[in-house]
Amino acid sequence: MKDVKTLLLLTPLLFATFAYGQSPKSSAVAAATATAAAPQSSASGTPSTPPTVASAIDREISIVEKELVETAEAMPEDKFDFSPEKLNISGSDYKGVRTFGQQLKHVAASNYLIWSPITGEKPPDTVNDGKGPDNMTAKADIVKYLKDSFAFGHKAVATLNASNLIQPISSNSGRPTTRLFLATFAPAHAFDHYGQLVEYLRMNGIVPPASRGQ
């Protein structure tokens, strides 16, 4: 009986010693695993809203939106007319490529054109065949145009559901497509141009916001 009492007294001490002996790394992994395994909940302790196709795509849009807006805001206004063509790099061929501002307007105009068939809402007249307004040159106006196009996308994607996701519709070019394709193609297209825009920043000695502190 005495041995049993001794074992019962020592058991908590043994567990405490084991836990203390864990490395910080393994403890962090264990904590992360526990957090990942636990159901997501709000601050009130109630379970959060289950993800949907619409919310998953909306999150993807928010990611590229943040990257592009921060990139646009990082470039000085007097560099919005910059393109690599101005550097006259030996052996390169940048003749006629879009300027920094033109790239942003193209992304915004394309957002409107790609997302508008999802709801059938008419894109604004400013899309100008995917170029955006020719007379828009001010940084503040271009950034607002970009932000507004993403707001349009969030609104369109919010209408997605299981019944209309792959229902055949026509794109603005008249080709058959689906809402799912259009919803995901716009952020893919935006990421393509984001990759170009960060190089424009670096060509002007500016570290892209997403790369700072790394």
Side-chain angles (χ1 to χ4, degrees):
M1 187 69 178
K2 182 178 179 181
D3 291 340
V4 173
K5 289 182 178 179
T6 302
L7 180 60
L8 290 174
L9 289 171
L10 287 176
T11 299
L13 179 60
L14 290 171
F15 275 106
T17 303
F18 176 76
Y20 182 80
Q22 295 292 305
S23 67
K25 181 177 180 181
S26 60
S27 297
V29 170
T33 303
T35 301
Q40 295 295 313
S41 60
S42 63
S44 63
T46 57
S48 61
T49 305
T52 62
V53 171
S55 67
I57 297 174
D58 189 78
R59 182 183 178 192
E60 182 181 5
I61 293 170
S62 294
I63 292 171
V64 71
E65 176 184 9
K66 180 177 184 294
E67 302 276 32
L68 277 168
V69 170
E70 289 183 349
T71 297
E73 292 175 338
M75 183 70 97
E77 182 160 19
D78 63 355
K79 295 291 186 181
F80 263 55
D81 65 346
F82 168 83
S83 86
E85 183 178 0
K86 293 188 174 185
L87 298 178
N88 296 314
I89 302 172
S90 177
S92 66
D93 185 6
Y94 289 107
K95 185 176 177 63
V97 300
R98 296 184 181 95
T99 66
F100 186 85
Q102 288 172 340
Q103 289 262 24
L104 293 170
K105 289 191 294 182
H106 169 64
V107 171
S110 297
N111 283 348
Y112 282 118
L113 287 171
I114 296 169
W115 278 321
S116 57
I118 292 176
T119 59
E121 184 175 349
K122 185 178 181 292
D125 295 334
T126 55
V127 294
N128 190 21
D129 293 325
K131 296 183 294 184
D134 291 327
N135 60 352
M136 183 183 288
T137 57
K139 174 178 178 176
D141 293 338
I142 293 175
V143 172
K144 182 179 184 303
Y145 186 56
L146 181 68
K147 289 179 177 179
D148 288 348
S149 75
F150 277 108
F152 183 88
H154 288 299
K155 181 181 175 182
V157 169
T159 67
L160 296 178
N161 55 57
S163 64
N164 67 13
L165 200 60
I166 56 175
Q167 182 184 51
I169 60 173
S170 294
S171 66
N172 273 310
S173 66
R175 288 177 293 188
T177 187
T178 63
R179 290 178 176 85
L180 176 60
F181 175 80
L182 296 176
T184 56
F185 177 65
H189 172 262
F191 269 121
D192 179 27
H193 287 279
Y194 168 71
Q196 298 173 47
L197 288 164
V198 296
E199 293 306 316
Y200 281 34
L201 287 185
R202 290 190 182 278
M203 288 177 178
N204 285 278
I206 301 171
V207 176
S211 298
R212 294 173 188 174
Q214 296 183 13

